[in-house]
Amino acid sequence: MTEGLRIVIVEDDALIAMDLADLLIGMGHDVRAIAGTEAEAVAAAIRCKPNLMIVDGNLAEGSGVSAMHRILARAFVAHLYVTGDTAQIQRAVPDAVVVTKPFSMLGLSNGIAAALRAPTERPSPQGK
C-alpha cells in the first residue's frame, strides 16, 4: 500500500471524521482537510490538491457524489466512498469504490488500494 498520501475527508459527522482522520494518520497518511459539506469538499480539493479523497455519500448540505462529480470535472482525484448506503452509491456511480460503514481498518486499507488502482478516466456520470 502506498504510504504518505495527501487525503481530504468529506464527512459531515464530526466524530466519524475525527476517528477516520486519526486512523489515516496512524496509517502514515497526511490528512490535509476535513470537509462537512459539498461546497467545502470542492473548495478543499482545489486548495489541498489531494492524492485521495474519502467521501461520505450523504451529507447534511449537498451530496458526496455531487461533490465528486464537480471535482472530477476539473481534474481526476483518486477517491472512495465510505457510506452506510452502498446501494445508493452504486446506483449513482456504478464503478465506484465503496467501503461500508461501519468499516474495519482492513476494509479501509483495501478500499484505499482499490481507489488508487482505479482508472483515471471514467465515463461521464448519468444526468450530469
Side-chain angles (χ1 to χ4, degrees):
M1 169 142 157
T2 303
E3 294 298 327
L5 295 171
R6 294 181 316 273
I7 298 176
V8 169
I9 298 170
V10 182
E11 171 62 64
D12 61 349
D13 182 307
L15 186 57
I16 293 172
M18 289 187 304
D19 286 345
L20 182 55
D22 287 344
L23 185 59
L24 291 164
I25 291 166
M27 295 167 72
H29 301 298
D30 180 10
V31 176
R32 295 286 175 102
I34 296 174
T37 68
E38 181 177 332
E40 289 173 1
V42 174
I46 293 167
R47 183 180 71 251
C48 298
K49 298 181 181 15
N51 303 103
L52 177 70
M53 294 189 68
I54 299 178
V55 183
D56 186 8
N58 296 310
L59 303 171
E61 292 180 34
S63 154
V65 171
S66 293
M68 285 313 305
H69 287 165
R70 291 172 58 192
I71 292 163
L72 293 172
R74 297 176 69 90
F76 182 80
V77 178
H79 59 284
L80 64 103
Y81 296 93
V82 176
T83 184
D85 189 354
T86 57
Q88 176 188 6
I89 300 297
Q90 292 295 329
R91 282 191 302 274
V93 188
D95 62 343
V97 176
V98 182
V99 175
T100 304
K101 287 180 185 174
F103 56 86
S104 65
M105 189 160 174
L106 178 60
L108 182 61
S109 294
N110 288 342
I112 291 170
L116 295 174
R117 286 191 311 267
T120 58
E121 293 192 23
R122 296 189 177 180
S124 298
Q126 298 176 8
K128 299 288 174 189

